[in-house]
Amino acid sequence: MSKKILFVGAGAIGSYLGSFLSRAGHDVTLVDAWAEQVETIRRQGISVTGPHDPFNARPTAVHLHEAQRLPRDFDLAFVAMKVYDTEWAAQLALRHLSADGVVVSSQNCWPDPRVAAVAGAGRSLGLIMSKIGVACWKPGTVERGMERGGNKGHDVFRVGEHDGRITPRAQELAEILSVVDGSLTTDNLWGERWSKLCANSMGNPVQGMSGLGSGEIAGSEVGRAIAIHLAGESARVGLALGYKIPKFNGEAAERWADSTRRETYQALDEMLTPKTASTRNWKASMAQDVTKGRPTEIDYMNGHVVAQGRAKGVPTPVSAAVVEVMHEVESGARKPAPENIGAVLKRAGV
């Protein structure tokens, strides 16, 4: 059944998901403050490329200042903004929902409590997205740079209720998203969310501070070193918090947490080392933000790990140093460069 779907945010993920859902026959409206994006979509639609057949979608596009004229009858409203914009985006989404409509957080970091603070947990759904790196480098064009998950739904979309129930509305959203890639429901939203946070925390800031892509970092010994330290710290904090953390980036959370042991570290380093030459050198969302001169989510990503680690008495020296160096990059005091990786490890004393 066709749904009325609102996306607050027409950047990379909003454009990508919105395009697929529009092509599937849903009534999709994208709202964004990026004027060139809105006007380009209105004029020529969205060109979508990736590990699938390319296509052009024609969702409705609305400038942010025009949003007040939208109806209040949307079935679903996706918050597809940076996490620091969550509250106002959730307010806008909630305003335009039907009486039984739901706000969906399709974001990185730890956004669900922020959405629930605005809409209430009863009108909120969490959406975890993995292995679906997307980028929007110019108006009207969105590309996906990672492999399709196929029938591996756990590798792509997991829809979850805040209280862990498997509900008809969560199942319905999972079914709607299955036109994009593998999709399922989860009774472990918080563990899934922390798993994604770990994966983001070990990769995004390393690219953001270094200017290197994913392939270049994986091919570098120091790049793998910082990734292992960040993954280990994030995993140890999540386990201390009591989360049931699914496997991320090829290994169980417990295995990453054990990376302080030499034998485990060496095994993880070997796993991360590329076995063949690869042309894949994707730029993650934080690297895209640095390139575009936008604020990053560092305080809500690795910064969240540091804060939760402090509360639980779990040391996070590399994560803390990453946050400091990314602040320097954001302020212009430090340029993105490969040597920043070594500077972080030295600052952290490892």
Side-chain angles (χ1 to χ4, degrees):
M1 183 181 296
S2 176
K3 296 288 186 180
K4 285 199 68 173
I5 302 175
L6 177 66
F7 280 85
V8 183
I13 197 64
S15 292
Y16 191 78
L17 298 185
S19 292
F20 271 90
L21 298 185
S22 177
R23 185 177 69 161
H26 298 286
D27 182 356
V28 175
T29 298
L30 309 177
V31 176
D32 206 279
W34 184 10
E36 294 84 357
Q37 174 80 328
V38 171
E39 290 302 320
T40 302
I41 295 171
R42 285 175 169 177
R43 185 173 61 254
Q44 63 189 44
I46 304 174
S47 173
V48 184
T49 59
H52 49 70
D53 292 336
F55 66 94
N56 194 76
R58 299 303 295 258
T60 300
V62 175
H63 292 287
L64 182 60
H65 69 272
E66 299 171 327
Q68 68 268 27
R69 296 201 296 268
L70 289 172
R72 302 191 176 193
D73 60 354
F74 286 90
D75 302 301
L76 295 166
F78 288 77
V79 175
M81 303 290 295
K82 296 298 179 181
V83 71
Y84 46 73
D85 287 324
T86 298
E87 283 79 4
W88 71 259
Q91 285 279 7
L92 193 156
L94 183 64
R95 181 190 312 154
H96 294 287
L97 284 176
S98 62
D100 58 351
V102 180
V103 180
V104 182
S105 172
S106 52
Q107 303 164 276
N108 286 331
C109 305
W110 201 252
D112 304 283
R114 303 168 76 100
V115 171
V118 174
R123 300 197 71 183
S124 305
L125 279 173
L127 173 61
I128 316 299
M129 303 172 289
S130 294
K131 297 186 180 178
I132 187 169
V134 291
C136 188
W137 293 106
K138 62 180 182 178
T141 302
V142 65
E143 61 174 318
R144 178 176 174 183
M146 293 188 177
E147 70 277 5
R148 285 180 65 81
N151 62 354
K152 300 177 182 177
H154 61 280
D155 280 343
V156 188
F157 301 114
R158 283 92 73 211
V159 181
E161 296 276 3
H162 288 214
D163 60 7
R165 292 178 301 135
I166 302 297
T167 61
R169 69 182 190 180
Q171 292 173 319
E172 182 179 42
L173 178 56
E175 177 63 26
I176 288 170
L177 290 169
S178 67
V179 301
V180 185
D181 210 317
S183 182
L184 50 76
T185 54
T186 178
D187 60 2
N188 183 28
L189 174 63
W190 307 113
E192 295 273 13
R193 184 67 83 185
W194 196 274
S195 175
K196 179 65 185 299
L197 180 68
C198 289
N200 285 154
S201 294
M202 70 183 286
N204 279 29
V206 183
Q207 293 185 29
M209 73 173 64
S210 70
L212 300 174
S214 57
E216 293 167 319
I217 291 169
S220 158
E221 184 176 356
V222 71
R224 296 191 300 274
I226 193 171
I228 293 169
H229 282 294
L230 291 171
E233 290 179 2
S234 301
R236 287 189 286 275
V237 172
L239 293 171
L241 288 165
Y243 296 128
K244 180 183 176 183
I245 307 171
K247 183 178 181 179
F248 64 91
N249 285 0
E251 269 296 353
E254 291 78 8
R255 184 74 163 163
W256 291 111
D258 189 49
S259 58
T260 52
R261 286 202 315 124
R262 183 175 181 82
E263 296 83 354
T264 302
Y265 180 96
Q266 290 175 334
L268 291 170
D269 181 69
E270 182 179 354
M271 181 197 70
L272 291 178
T273 302
K275 303 302 184 288
T276 58
S278 173
T279 58
R280 177 179 161 189
N281 204 36
W282 186 253
K283 292 291 183 73
S285 59
M286 194 172 294
Q288 295 175 38
D289 291 337
V290 171
T291 300
K292 296 175 181 180
R294 302 188 307 205
T296 74
E297 295 176 312
I298 189 65
D299 289 328
Y300 308 90
M301 191 174 289
N302 300 73
H304 184 69
V305 172
V306 172
Q308 294 299 308
R310 187 180 303 116
K312 282 294 182 178
V314 178
T316 57
V318 180
S319 299
V322 160
V323 173
E324 292 174 1
V325 168
M326 277 304 306
H327 284 164
E328 293 167 8
V329 170
E330 284 185 312
S331 70
R334 181 187 290 268
K335 298 295 184 184
E339 52 266 29
N340 289 336
I341 297 176
V344 164
L345 294 175
K346 182 178 180 180
R347 189 177 298 193
V350 299

